[in-house]
Structures are given as structure tokens and as C-alpha cells.
Amino acid sequence: MRVIALVCLVGYSTIAVLFLGSAVVLVVFAAIQLWNGAAPWATQGLNVRFESVLEAIAMLTIAVAAMELGQTVLEEEVHREVNVSAPTRVRRFLSRFLIVVVVAMSVETLVTAFRFSREDPSRLPEVAMIGFAAAALLVAWGLFVRLNSTAEKLEPEAMERTKQEDKKVERKNTA
């Protein structure tokens, strides 16, 4: 059993590092893209430069999502002493994940709407579907949290353990 736990710990740690590494690479790519779009000596037209800035925003959005997912995996799976099977922990993990996904989809909707409104307005309904999907995820997440609020009341000891672990993880992160 210890071997399996060690393999899971190494696996989760590797995944977290890869998420964080991907985020750093995307930030570098976004900085290069933004530099190309903002360069005052550039010979491209404003539309091309505008597209470069929008691409940088899209890359940064995905970088934020990757970074948040890496941090979530690191905090919830590596630093925690209690297994994620507890209902309280599952709700927290799922909530953190859905927040990242909804924000990323919302920003991507905005960026893509700007792009297609200039390039190909006939594709705006496709963009709207991304926005509707983000809204549906937000509503579903809210419903999930609402319906599971009674479970929080049924397991106050799990919530207290979670709060105590939060304090430990915060101390580790600030040290």
C-alpha cells in the first residue's frame, strides 16, 4: 500500500510540475506575442497587431488555468495528509477546478468574439455556444454547491479537519 501511495505522490507531483511548467512557457509565448503586437516599429497593420494582442490574452488565460490547476493538484493531492475521498475535499477540489474552467471559457469567449466580429461574423454563433457552455457550467456548479451545502452540515468534523489542514498548507506555502 505504501508503494501505491508513493507512486501516486510522485505522479501527482509530476503532473503539478508539468502544469506549472506549461504555464510558464505559455506566459513566455504570450509575452513574445504581445511584444510583436505592441512593437511601435512594426510594419503590420493595426488588425494584425490587434490579433497578436488577442492571442496573447488567450495564451495568458490558458496559462492562468494551467497554473491554478497545478497549484490545486499540489495543494490538494501532495500537501494534504487526508485522502481526497472525503466528500468535503471532493467538493473543494471540484469547485476550484470549475472556477478555473469557467473563467478560462469566459475570457476565451470574449477574445474569440472580438476576433470573429472583425474577421468572420458568421462564426459568432459558435462563440456564443462557448459562452453558453461557460454559463451552464457556472449554473451547474452553483446548483452543485447549493445541493451539497447540507452535506457540509452533516459532516462538521470533516470540515474542521479541512480547515486545520488549510492552516498547515498555508504555513508551508508561506515558509
Side-chain angles (χ1 to χ4, degrees), residues 30 33 50-60 108 111 115:
Q33 190 74 26
F50 179 74
E51 287 296 320
S52 291
V53 173
L54 286 181
E55 284 297 319
I57 291 170
M59 283 186 230
L60 288 172
E108 187 62 29
V111 168
R115 178 180 302 130

Side-chain angles (χ1 to χ4, degrees), residues 25-157:
V25 170
L26 283 170
V27 168
V28 170
F29 288 170
I32 292 168
Q33 190 74 26
L34 184 61
W35 180 259
N36 289 336
W41 58 84
T43 59
Q44 301 105 342
L46 282 178
N47 285 341
V48 173
R49 293 169 66 187
F50 179 74
E51 287 296 320
S52 291
V53 173
L54 286 181
E55 284 297 319
I57 291 170
M59 283 186 230
L60 288 172
T61 302
I62 296 168
V64 167
M67 194 170 292
E68 182 62 34
L69 288 173
Q71 180 182 0
T72 300
V73 169
L74 191 64
E75 288 178 0
E76 297 292 334
E77 301 295 342
V78 176
H79 286 157
R80 301 273 179 202
E81 295 171 5
V82 177
N83 198 347
V84 79
S85 61
T88 301
R89 183 71 29 77
V90 172
R91 282 190 299 279
R92 288 172 47 123
F93 187 85
L94 185 60
S95 291
R96 287 182 73 173
F97 177 74
L98 284 177
I99 287 169
V100 171
V101 171
V102 168
V103 169
M105 287 177 69
S106 299
V107 172
E108 187 62 29
T109 299
L110 185 62
V111 168
T112 309
F114 279 130
R115 178 180 302 130
F116 286 157
S117 68
R118 299 170 66 84
E119 291 176 6
D120 187 5
S122 68
R123 296 189 66 193
L124 285 174
E126 296 170 25
V127 176
M129 293 308 294
I130 297 170
F132 287 135
L137 274 175
L138 184 62
V139 168
W141 173 58
L143 185 62
F144 174 78
V145 169
R146 175 79 172 127
L147 293 175
N148 279 293
S149 64
T150 55
E152 295 286 336
K153 295 173 187 166
L154 293 175
E155 53 180 20
E157 68 285 344

